[in-house]
Amino acid sequence: MKHTQSCLGLAAGLLLAAMPAAWAAFDVRTTTVDWDQVEPKKSFTVFVEREELSALDRISRMIFAVQVGTGGGKTDGLTVHWQVTQGATLVARNTASLAKGLVDVMFNVAELKPGRYDVKAELRQGDKVMDQGATFFRVVDAKPPAQKGRVALNLPRGAPLKGGAWPVSTGVPFPKGALGSEKNVRVVKADGTPVPCQTIVRSRWGCAPETSIRWLGVDFQAEGAPAWWPERKDTRYYLEFGPAVAAPAAPVKVRVEETPDGLAVDTGALQFLVRRKGFNLLDRVKLGGRDIALSDPRAGLYLEDHEGSVYRAANDPNILLSVEERGDLRAVIRAEGWFVKDGSAGEKLNYTLPTDKLCRFITRIEACAGRPWVRVLNTWVLTFDSHTVRLRDVGWTLPIEGVTRAEFGVEGGDPLARPVGEKGIYLIQHTPDAFALEDGAGQGLAKGARSAGWALASGRHAILGVSHRETWQRFPKEFEILPDGLRLHIWPAHGRVNPEIDQYRHEQINRLWYAHQGRELNLAMPWQYFFATAQITGNPSTGIYSPGGMPIGGIHTSAMGMAVTSDVMLLFAEKGAESAARDQAAGWQVAPHALPDTAWTCASLAAGYMHPYSPDTMKAAEETIEDAVKGYWETQDACGEYGMWLYRPWHHSFLVEAGKLTLYRLYNATHHYESIMPWMLYARSGDPFYLTQGAANMRLLTDVQVQHYNDPAYPHREFWARQGRLVGSTKHTNGFCPWGGDHAVLAHLTCYGGMMLAHYLTGDLRWREVVVDEWQKTILTDRRNPEFSRADRTDALSPTGVAGNPREGARDVTNALGEVIDLYQMTYDPRVLALMAPMMDYFLNKFMRPWGMPVHNVVLFYGSEQAKKQILESVEERRRLKDKAEDPKAFWYTHAPHENFALASILNPAGNAHIDAWLAASVMQRRSWAAQIRKQVPHATAFCAVPDYILYLPRVMYAVFQAGGELSLSRLATSQPLLIGDTANAGWVRCVLRKDKPGALPLQIFGTVGVAGVKVKVFGPDNKPLVETTIPSGAHAPFAWPVPDAGVGEYVVFIRAGDNKDSMYAPISDLPEVYVTSYWSQHMECRYFTRSPGEATVRIKVQPHKGSATVMTDDQTVLASTDKGDEVSCDVGPKGVWVLLKTRYAHANPPIVLSYSPDRWFAPSEEKLRLKP
Amino acid sequence: MPRMTWCAAALAAGILAPLAWAAPPPPAAKRYNVMAGGYYARETQDQEWRLTLVGEIPSLPGAYVVVHDAHGRLIHAGCIPQGKHPPEKPYTVTIKPDGITGDYRIIIIGHQDDMLGLQVPFTDLPQEVYGGGSMSMGHDYTAKPYFRAPEGVTKIKLGAHQGQMQIYDADNKLIADTRKGGGREKYDNTIEFDVTPGMTYRFERQTMYFRSYTPNAFFLAFTPDRWFAPDPKLMEVKWWELVKETPPADAEK
């Protein structure tokens, strides 16, 4: 397929005819779109969003995009003339202006007959044809899915309130074509009683509102329920959908109204104002219509710099205030602006002091119908030079009058309640395992281990509470209660150093104490981190591939552009209702979530090909997943990875000792596509552990490891690659701290797909914002930025390619392709297709190197026949030649060969590639690997190997079940390397054939023979020599030599080939054929079958020389294995076993009888074993 | 900063004082940008001397300097602040007399832009050489330093990264040239040539980066009189293990 620019001279012009009415039906909507002219070389792109379409898609789209190139003039006057044909029939044609750079044509698929459609286009300037392009798409038949149904909505963590309802959100996927409108759903209890719900479309299967829904956001309020996990039986709610389905009205609705002062919100229980000027979080708060909180213009978000200047959100006169989501049950108000210094004009912006504006905020206030509380999801973005600016305090001030009593939640214990004196009282969680309760004078009142994350202030008229999720995990944090209000300190005002901790010891150095303790927040990494690393590792090198190079990167990094998002409940209760307030505050910490039935999710394909959690039928695989992933997390627990800047990243390297990690590439953002892993595992299982893990990681990734801000005047450059900042760009792994080192927007090291899946499942708007308003915005509209080219690693797309190894650089393009395919399905911005087109061309015609999800996304979303063909052919070649396959497309240059086989099986279940996939997945060997990770055995794994394997195992499981579940190796008929060089027989290997019918015996060998040739001697059933020949030097496909008919019986073929000289393949005939040998070599890994001659078992013993050997049954149950060259032995009966060898040399004692497949095996007669060549 | 011990008796007697000034002061040297694994200086008489860093450190966290002697004593460690350090106001660290003479190694840790932002000489000691690791003198091709072969070294192998280099003897005779009969090691054009210990050689290059493949044999000076062969014991010192404390300037962190 060629979808992009082609040279002039394409034959046959466009037909000239009047446009029939059918064409108007084809062309639904044509839009011209601004497309920045930034590329140095000119190009003309013709691209359809998918190659494979069906009536289920309803509407699709093609784009025509131009880049005029450097010196290429303007786009004014450029037009595109396109036509679509099916065979010789003209389907539609039209003309559009390309003055803006891109034309988007949406077309109607539903009316198109199945078949191939060709798209041709000319780029013209006036009448002159400047360029031409062509592409095609195929329309196939597709069976529509059920148009109505019922999906279980489970509560993996339960719902916390026993006597009330708790708002929960979920994301429900639908198969393509199942659901058209978000109005045709409702939520019901298990007994069928409808409950109010609110829906929003998060993603569709197509580019137009007419296309069906892919992910639907659903909100409802759940009554108290126990956790659905781990029993997975107690389903309390269902989602019903169908053309006749509608949700009931909510009896209590949340209302948001525009007023001159801002947005007035009424949940029914709580009323408040979100001010447009003087944004102070919640203003004029009323509980049940009664004023309870002061209107304080100095309240709300604030921070204090190291010189003592205070900056407030309320001082910004120009905040952006909007309603981001609105419905009967839940409304989200978004406010964005600057922290502006008290007493300043608010105009001066500097990356260091003095400045009027210091840091930005993006605050989301979620109000739910009937609730006396709101969720505040607040993101604070750092805009300063962290080498010269420090902060003394970052917090929220919430006013409440006449506070006399404070209560602080304690995890695993009773709350601490104290009176509030003039100077107030505070609880500071200063390490993950220690908090201090002190009065305003600093006098210690109590100590404890872990705050439960909430505090209540009992005021004159009401109770004000704050509940902050994961407080001790994100230490240091402080809750301060004063006579006139409550303060939540995101960075404590009463911070301290923990002198008992030596931050430079190996078991502490990863915890980045410099950023997590002290009176001031100081994000400048001390130089001592380099020396400590050099001392611990004994290596002072500062190179990028050395341990010392990591803290050098961290010392030089800047925290500008990082963020911290806090997930907080602000609650209000009547005076005296402390118990209810406590329940609400504690309930918030549960973070309940609703998850659709996992089998439904997997069947929808909205999250891709993966099999639902199946502990009964796939026990070993599920245990492997659980041990590897939970073991990873538990290792991080043991290594103390807590903290507001550290909860919780991924790693690259090893655990070296208990509590000590390798310091080389200590932290990694997501460069092995890790961040999607817990979300996939959560969606397919419902295990809330993965939600905890996924949310912790996603918050850190999208806050700390993606850049959100840059000051063009800021001269700072990172140590590695001398990069500045680029909004939306993801960090890599070379900075010691999670935010240090290099970064990229289009490269192998991103996982925006993970952010998208996390948003689909939870509705978290910050995660969507990072993808769409930061990353997408940058890659579509900020490409002129000099930082863009430094963050775009798809150099391989350029005509000159990439220096060094192009196969290595391919992963940057292919991962980027997988990412933009996912992005397109979130936003359907046509400009994304202009980016996708050259990547797709590269993928199909140059390298298909798997990294992330490109192969999967091309297969599932784009539907390329060329990709399918290349995958299947590549698998066939791999089966034959193993790692000697040429692999021109770098398809096997992957950490996850099991995924390759799985996709081949999904494309062609009859091809048995699911068996190869299962074999490549080596589940039993991986079981012990995962168990070692769970036990935190040092050096059990490089952590980046966990996603490499785990991400794709559910896909293997999907392939296995889709193909019927049988894993018999007998079904894999693939050639094997010929065994040669039996030293017990002077280098001759003994092959015995059994001919049961008269006739000639045609023998043939495939492979390559060295200069000396290969001698072959054939003996007949009477043991007399029949043929002696030499296979000549060269490549043979095949070399055949007929053997005269010497009757029925056993023939012996002796072959003497040279180790390292000759590479040939078995079988050499189509008869029962066995090899009898005690010492041999093979030129690549192999798989042979053996069995006992009769019913009685025999003992086999095989030893690979410095390699691995596995003995397994036909259904891949491992009986014995080694990867250290040890001898493996087991008893073998008539059903036989497979012997898999990854070694050059092996020996068997006693000699072993091996065949290419069970049906070829037989026990040769004794005399044939005594025959000498 | 570690404190140096004073040799009070010697100073009190004033014996050393006149001797300290007996040797002529080093010529006011032209300054060059040099990046090297080590910068070496020799103190032949116990004296107060200065680490004087001129140039510009562009990186915001600054660069770091470590000075030690052949006995593994840390003489100085600290951060060179970001910014311009002009000749009239260099970044200076004064090293007090301590009764010990010998060779020192100065190590600069930081980005290449910082290392090449500084200009040698780094000390006011009469002898100073530069060598080790991947070296560079930026794009100043007028810099044509000298070197001699240390005792026991009869062959030296050098590499020019994606560029060329030439070696001349004291008579200005070309004795080695990567363009003629040189070899190749990955990205380096290499030359291996015979040297006579004690003889002076001159080095010219058309390359940004170069290195020696012969360990502890290639040290450059910009005038022959400043050349010396650093004490081999310096190379055995694990300098990174000497810095145990956070210097006061960093202590706020």
Side-chain angles (χ1 to χ4, degrees):
Chain A
M1 180 210 69
K2 205 66 180 149
H3 56 269
T4 54
Q5 55 273 26
S6 67
C7 58
L8 287 171
L10 207 77
L14 301 172
L15 292 176
L16 293 170
M19 193 160 83
W23 297 0
F26 175 87
D27 186 347
V28 171
R29 209 149 43 239
T30 295
T31 318
T32 57
V33 179
D34 280 312
W35 182 227
D36 266 356
Q37 299 299 299
V38 300
E39 300 292 333
K41 289 208 72 145
K42 62 181 182 181
S43 65
F44 176 49
T45 298
V46 178
F47 191 64
V48 182
E49 67 171 5
R50 291 186 173 91
E51 180 185 303
E52 185 170 288
L53 298 166
S54 75
L56 297 182
D57 289 295
R58 303 194 69 187
I59 306 275
S60 187
R61 157 196 270 157
M62 54 191 175
I63 60 132
F64 308 95
V66 66
Q67 287 286 315
V68 296
T70 306
K74 294 187 192 285
T75 51
D76 300 353
L78 290 177
T79 54
V80 58
H81 298 247
W82 60 265
Q83 67 174 28
V84 177
T85 56
Q86 186 181 29
T89 305
L90 185 64
V91 173
R93 64 181 273 252
N94 212 338
T95 296
S97 164
L98 260 175
K100 286 190 177 179
L102 190 146
V103 167
D104 166 23
V105 177
M106 287 196 195
F107 61 90
N108 196 334
V109 182
E111 308 297 320
L112 295 178
K113 287 182 254 180
R116 174 179 164 131
Y117 291 77
D118 288 280
V119 180
K120 287 183 187 155
E122 288 180 350
L123 173 69
R124 292 189 193 170
Q125 180 98 41
D127 288 331
K128 185 177 174 195
V129 176
M130 308 295 287
D131 205 342
Q132 291 168 313
T135 186
F136 72 97
F137 60 92
R138 297 174 294 107
V139 176
V140 301
D141 285 321
K143 188 178 160 199
Q147 300 294 292
K148 60 181 183 179
R150 197 177 202 232
V151 183
L153 295 181
N154 296 309
L155 299 166
R157 290 172 169 160
L161 280 194
K162 289 190 188 108
W166 195 279
V168 291
S169 285
T170 185
V172 182
F174 289 85
K176 188 189 291 188
L179 180 70
S181 168
E182 67 273 25
K183 294 187 173 61
N184 293 131
V185 300
R186 69 177 186 175
V187 174
V188 300
K189 293 190 202 178
D191 64 6
T193 310
V195 299
C197 70
Q198 176 176 318
T199 55
I200 186 166
V201 178
R202 293 192 180 139
S203 168
R204 289 186 179 274
W205 284 102
C207 54
E210 298 92 324
T211 62
S212 64
I213 294 171
R214 183 166 161 254
W215 282 97
L216 183 72
V218 179
D219 284 280
F220 64 102
Q221 298 203 5
E223 291 168 358
W228 172 81
W229 181 273
E231 279 74 24
R232 300 181 297 131
K233 293 189 167 77
D234 190 357
T235 297
R236 299 289 178 103
Y237 292 92
Y238 292 84
L239 181 123
E240 293 179 342
F241 71 95
V245 174
V252 179
K253 298 179 187 180
V254 64
R255 291 193 160 79
V256 180
E257 283 175 21
E258 283 275 357
T259 75
D261 293 334
L263 294 169
V265 182
D266 184 356
T267 72
L270 189 71
Q271 297 82 39
F272 57 90
L273 176 71
V274 181
R275 300 188 72 87
R276 185 165 283 109
K277 284 202 187 309
F279 172 67
N280 56 355
L281 281 179
L282 308 187
D283 198 59
R284 297 185 201 160
V285 181
K286 298 182 190 213
L287 189 64
R290 191 168 54 81
D291 286 325
I292 56 159
L294 303 172
S295 179
D296 185 347
R298 291 166 65 84
L301 314 171
Y302 73 93
L303 51 89
E304 182 182 345
D305 69 26
H306 66 265
E307 292 180 352
S309 297
V310 176
Y311 305 73
R312 298 179 207 273
N315 291 340
D316 185 351
N318 298 312
I319 69 161
L320 301 170
L321 187 65
S322 61
V323 182
E324 200 170 16
E325 281 187 6
R326 189 199 295 258
D328 289 347
L329 292 187
R330 189 172 72 100
V332 181
I333 291 159
R334 184 181 181 280
E336 181 180 356
W338 284 94
F339 289 83
V340 175
K341 187 157 71 177
D342 282 351
S344 76
E347 287 164 4
K348 186 174 169 194
L349 173 62
N350 195 2
Y351 55 81
T352 190
L353 303 185
T355 180
D356 290 350
K357 298 195 265 195
L358 186 67
C359 297
R360 290 186 63 77
F361 62 89
I362 300 165
T363 306
R364 290 179 164 88
I365 299 170
E366 289 185 19
C368 295
R371 301 298 114 210
W373 51 262
V374 296
R375 177 194 198 191
V376 179
L377 192 71
N378 184 73
T379 300
W380 149 52
V381 180
L382 283 65
T383 62
F384 55 85
D385 170 26
S386 50
H387 295 281
T388 57
V389 180
R390 305 180 299 281
L391 298 177
R392 282 189 194 167
D393 186 4
V394 180
W396 310 3
T397 297
L398 305 155
I400 184 159
E401 205 182 353
V403 177
T404 54
R405 186 176 177 277
E407 198 170 330
F408 301 92
V410 175
E411 197 170 275
D414 293 328
L416 293 171
R418 293 287 189 279
V420 176
E422 206 177 87
K423 291 192 176 172
I425 187 170
Y426 56 85
L427 181 148
I428 171 168
Q429 183 84 45
H430 54 99
T431 76
D433 297 303
F435 70 74
L437 183 69
E438 295 171 356
D439 67 17
Q443 180 88 9
L445 301 175
K447 287 187 179 179
R450 290 175 174 174
S451 159
W454 57 263
L456 302 179
S458 296
R460 182 169 299 129
H461 305 296
I463 297 168
L464 166 63
V466 65
S467 189
H468 172 278
R469 284 187 170 142
E470 295 176 323
T471 291
W472 61 264
Q473 295 92 327
R474 296 174 187 281
F475 85 98
K477 291 289 173 282
E478 180 182 334
F479 300 91
E480 183 178 18
I481 295 175
L482 297 157
D484 61 353
L486 188 156
R487 283 196 190 152
L488 169 65
H489 297 274
I490 307 300
W491 178 266
H494 300 94
R496 62 211 53 198
V497 173
N498 302 284
E500 71 281 9
I501 295 169
D502 179 352
Q503 63 175 310
Y504 299 118
R505 291 180 60 83
H506 193 166
E507 64 274 15
Q508 296 291 345
I509 198 170
N510 64 298
R511 304 183 197 199
L512 306 180
W513 283 103
Y514 73 93
H516 291 97
Q517 65 178 354
R519 172 71 182 88
E520 293 175 342
L521 170 60
N522 186 343
L523 288 166
M525 184 185 286
W527 277 95
Q528 193 62 24
Y529 271 74
F530 163 73
F531 290 100
T533 300
Q535 286 155 25
I536 290 164
T537 61
N539 182 353
S541 169
T542 57
I544 193 172
Y545 297 115
S546 63
M550 306 296 103
I552 288 289
I555 289 161
H556 284 74
T557 199
S558 171
M560 176 188 285
M562 284 215 288
V564 171
T565 297
S566 306
D567 196 351
V568 179
M569 166 201 253
L570 300 182
L571 73 96
F572 302 87
E574 296 290 349
K575 190 174 166 63
E578 278 82 1
S579 177
R582 262 182 241 122
D583 285 348
Q584 302 268 7
W588 177 254
Q589 299 292 328
V590 173
H593 180 249
L595 188 74
D597 176 65
T598 58
W600 167 266
T601 295
C602 293
S604 74
L605 298 185
Y609 295 118
M610 59 181 183
H611 193 71
Y613 176 64
S614 306
D616 299 328
T617 49
M618 287 269 181
K619 183 169 184 287
E622 296 295 356
E623 287 173 351
T624 298
I625 292 172
E626 182 168 341
D627 275 354
V629 180
K630 291 185 180 178
Y632 196 146
W633 180 263
E634 289 157 8
T635 301
Q636 292 176 298
D637 287 344
C639 292
E641 270 169 43
Y642 300 102
M644 61 189 288
W645 309 107
L646 205 52
Y647 185 73
R648 202 169 249 182
W650 300 107
H651 291 278
H652 176 88
S653 301
F654 299 84
L655 179 72
V656 293
E657 252 181 73
K660 297 177 184 174
L661 294 155
T662 311
L663 300 183
Y664 171 63
R665 291 194 159 185
L666 173 62
Y667 291 119
N668 145 42
T670 182
H671 78 157
H672 279 238
Y673 221 69
E674 287 92 334
S675 288
I676 203 172
M677 181 170 67
W679 296 100
M680 287 174 63
L681 298 178
Y682 178 56
R684 68 177 288 271
S685 72
D687 184 341
F689 162 79
Y690 298 117
L691 178 59
T692 301
Q693 181 186 45
N697 170 253
M698 194 53 67
R699 194 60 74 202
L700 189 90
L701 175 71
T702 54
D703 276 350
V704 167
Q705 297 175 308
V706 172
Q707 299 177 327
H708 309 289
Y709 176 83
N710 182 41
D711 182 337
Y714 185 38
H716 170 267
R717 290 275 174 269
E718 294 292 333
F719 190 88
W720 299 117
R722 284 329 239 171
Q723 289 173 295
R725 279 140 299 284
L726 186 68
V727 172
S729 195
T730 300
K731 287 290 183 171
H732 192 192
T733 185
N734 295 312
F736 206 82
C737 52
W739 61 95
D742 52 319
H743 61 82
V745 282
L746 293 169
H748 70 280
L749 55 95
T750 68
C751 186
Y752 298 100
M755 298 175 203
M756 294 181 230
L757 183 58
H759 165 73
Y760 292 143
L761 286 168
T762 65
D764 189 300
L765 289 168
R766 177 62 188 153
W767 294 336
R768 184 182 193 282
E769 183 169 68
V770 170
V771 172
V772 178
D773 300 318
E774 295 186 1
W775 179 52
Q776 179 180 258
K777 187 174 173 193
T778 290
I779 64 173
L780 295 184
T781 66
D782 201 20
R783 295 178 303 142
R784 290 178 198 282
N785 187 333
E787 286 299 324
F788 187 89
S789 61
R790 294 195 188 108
D792 175 5
R793 299 199 188 181
T794 57
D795 309 335
L797 288 175
S798 75
T800 49
V802 60
N805 183 354
R807 289 162 75 92
E808 186 63 36
R811 61 178 179 168
D812 290 304
V813 178
T814 57
N815 185 60
L817 173 62
E819 297 269 72
V820 299
I821 289 176
D822 277 333
L823 174 66
Y824 183 68
Q825 294 181 89
M826 177 175 255
T827 66
Y828 287 100
D829 189 313
R831 295 171 295 178
V832 176
L833 294 179
L835 285 186
M836 193 191 297
M839 294 180 192
M840 187 70 72
D841 185 49
Y842 176 94
F843 178 84
L844 293 173
N845 298 307
K846 221 163 172 188
F847 293 119
M848 290 169 66
R849 182 175 175 193
W851 192 284
M853 301 284 174
V855 188
H856 169 268
N857 285 2
V858 169
V859 162
L860 179 55
F861 167 77
Y862 189 72
S864 162
E865 275 288 342
Q866 182 180 340
K868 176 178 175 176
K869 182 167 175 284
Q870 286 170 185
I871 290 167
L872 294 175
E873 283 175 354
S874 190
V875 161
E876 280 310 308
E877 192 193 33
R878 180 76 172 187
R879 280 169 162 172
R880 277 191 312 111
L881 301 173
K882 313 287 189 298
D883 55 4
K884 298 275 200 302
E886 200 189 317
D887 193 26
K889 294 259 184 318
F891 186 52
W892 295 99
Y893 190 3
T894 175
H895 297 300
H898 49 298
E899 199 214 9
N900 287 1
F901 286 116
L903 288 171
S905 178
I906 291 166
L907 291 170
N908 176 27
N912 293 323
H914 65 287
I915 304 175
D916 299 88
W918 193 255
L919 195 60
S922 299
V923 172
M924 292 316 297
Q925 285 90 330
R926 288 294 191 162
R927 181 78 196 86
S928 59
W929 163 80
Q932 292 209 308
I933 297 171
R934 196 80 192 258
K935 289 180 195 154
Q936 297 179 37
V937 172
H939 295 281
T941 189
F943 285 108
C944 59
V946 173
D948 287 347
Y949 179 71
I950 297 292
L951 274 178
Y952 310 103
L953 192 56
R955 194 154 296 140
V956 171
M957 293 156 73
Y958 180 98
V960 167
F961 277 94
Q962 185 200 39
E966 202 202 314
L967 294 170
S968 165
L969 286 171
S970 304
R971 293 171 66 183
L972 283 188
T974 55
S975 58
Q976 299 298 322
L978 190 72
L979 308 182
I980 64 172
D982 189 348
T983 53
N985 219 2
W988 294 91
V989 79
R990 184 189 308 268
C991 170
V992 186
L993 310 172
R994 191 181 72 208
K995 189 156 82 71
D996 297 323
K997 294 175 187 167
L1001 174 62
L1003 298 181
Q1004 59 182 20
I1005 276 189
F1006 287 80
T1008 308
V1009 172
V1011 294
V1014 168
K1015 289 195 179 341
V1016 180
K1017 294 183 182 179
V1018 183
F1019 291 77
D1022 57 2
N1023 297 334
K1024 291 198 173 124
L1026 281 179
V1027 169
E1028 186 166 335
T1029 189
T1030 300
I1031 304 172
S1033 165
H1036 302 288
F1039 175 83
W1041 70 106
V1043 174
D1045 185 8
V1048 299
E1050 295 178 13
Y1051 292 67
V1052 179
V1053 181
F1054 287 105
I1055 304 169
R1056 191 162 75 176
D1059 181 32
N1060 249 335
K1061 297 178 179 60
D1062 308 308
S1063 305
M1064 297 172 293
Y1065 296 87
I1068 63 171
S1069 74
D1070 53 11
L1071 298 176
E1073 177 181 319
V1074 295
Y1075 294 82
V1076 188
T1077 182
S1078 60
Y1079 187 92
W1080 69 94
S1081 72
Q1082 62 247 332
H1083 60 88
M1084 63 165 69
E1085 64 181 88
C1086 68
R1087 184 175 68 238
Y1088 277 93
F1089 177 83
T1090 191
R1091 51 161 285 196
S1092 62
E1095 291 300 314
T1097 60
V1098 297
R1099 189 99 182 141
I1100 63 163
K1101 293 180 194 174
V1102 177
Q1103 182 164 15
H1105 179 68
K1106 292 186 186 173
S1108 75
T1110 306
V1111 182
M1112 55 173 62
T1113 60
D1114 194 52
D1115 65 356
Q1116 302 194 39
T1117 302
V1118 172
L1119 301 174
S1121 73
T1122 179
D1123 59 5
K1124 292 186 175 61
D1126 299 324
E1127 182 184 89
V1128 292
S1129 65
C1130 66
D1131 293 326
V1132 177
K1135 285 192 175 168
V1137 295
W1138 290 88
V1139 180
L1140 285 74
L1141 295 166
K1142 284 185 188 174
T1143 179
R1144 192 162 188 94
Y1145 307 104
H1147 62 91
N1149 181 19
I1152 194 167
V1153 182
L1154 298 170
S1155 74
Y1156 156 84
S1157 64
D1159 58 327
R1160 302 275 203 121
W1161 195 93
F1162 68 98
S1165 60
E1166 277 298 317
E1167 61 165 3
K1168 300 300 171 186
L1169 303 183
R1170 290 192 296 269
L1171 192 62
K1172 297 285 183 199
Chain B
M1 175 168 83
R3 302 297 299 170
M4 299 301 108
T5 54
W6 287 89
C7 187
L11 277 177
I15 297 169
L16 293 178
L19 287 176
W21 300 109
K30 183 175 184 290
R31 290 191 171 276
Y32 295 96
N33 299 98
V34 175
M35 181 177 84
Y39 306 78
Y40 303 85
R42 173 163 282 179
E43 185 190 30
T44 52
Q45 298 164 4
D46 186 41
Q47 59 187 277
E48 178 178 285
W49 59 275
R50 274 151 289 279
L51 183 72
T52 305
L53 299 174
V54 171
E56 182 174 1
I57 300 285
S59 293
L60 292 180
Y64 207 90
V65 60
V66 175
V67 183
H68 68 88
D69 70 8
H71 304 290
R73 287 187 314 144
L74 182 68
I75 306 300
H76 172 76
C79 181
I80 314 163
Q82 182 253 352
K84 290 190 165 108
H85 305 286
E88 59 273 15
K89 201 182 173 200
Y91 178 80
T92 303
V93 177
T94 301
I95 314 295
K96 300 292 183 190
D98 55 7
I100 300 172
T101 59
D103 295 350
Y104 299 98
R105 178 164 64 172
I106 301 159
I107 289 151
I108 307 288
I109 302 146
H111 194 270
Q112 172 185 288
D113 292 352
D114 301 315
M115 297 171 80
L116 284 173
L118 294 173
Q119 295 171 325
V120 298
F122 282 172
T123 74
D124 55 4
L125 291 170
Q127 290 177 295
E128 190 174 303
V129 295
Y130 322 104
S134 177
M135 298 179 65
S136 178
M137 287 189 282
H139 293 293
D140 180 6
Y141 299 106
T142 66
K144 294 174 185 177
Y146 299 88
F147 66 95
R148 294 189 178 126
E151 199 64 41
V153 174
T154 56
K155 247 182 180 25
I156 292 178
K157 181 177 176 183
L158 303 176
H161 182 78
Q162 295 188 328
Q164 311 295 342
M165 59 170 55
Q166 298 81 43
I167 306 297
Y168 295 86
D169 68 12
D171 299 322
N172 249 351
K173 182 177 150 202
L174 179 68
I175 63 163
D177 188 340
T178 50
R179 296 170 297 198
K180 296 171 188 171
R184 186 88 184 165
E185 297 267 357
K186 215 174 174 184
Y187 298 114
D188 287 357
N189 293 313
T190 61
I191 38 175
E192 191 168 16
F193 50 96
D194 294 328
V195 288
T196 304
M199 280 201 62
T200 300
Y201 300 89
R202 192 165 55 77
F203 166 62
E204 287 191 18
R205 81 212 193 281
Q206 301 83 39
T207 179
M208 174 81 171
Y209 304 104
F210 53 95
R211 75 173 80 227
S212 170
Y213 287 83
T214 313
N216 304 329
F218 184 63
F219 300 97
L220 298 173
F222 287 97
T223 55
D225 58 297
R226 287 174 70 74
W227 191 91
F228 72 101
D231 187 335
K233 290 205 191 81
L234 284 168
M235 318 313 166
E236 296 165 15
V237 173
K238 294 181 179 172
W239 55 267
W240 58 94
E241 292 185 355
L242 303 178
V243 184
K244 297 276 191 211
E245 300 170 357
T246 301
D250 291 352
E252 290 168 12
K253 296 177 184 176

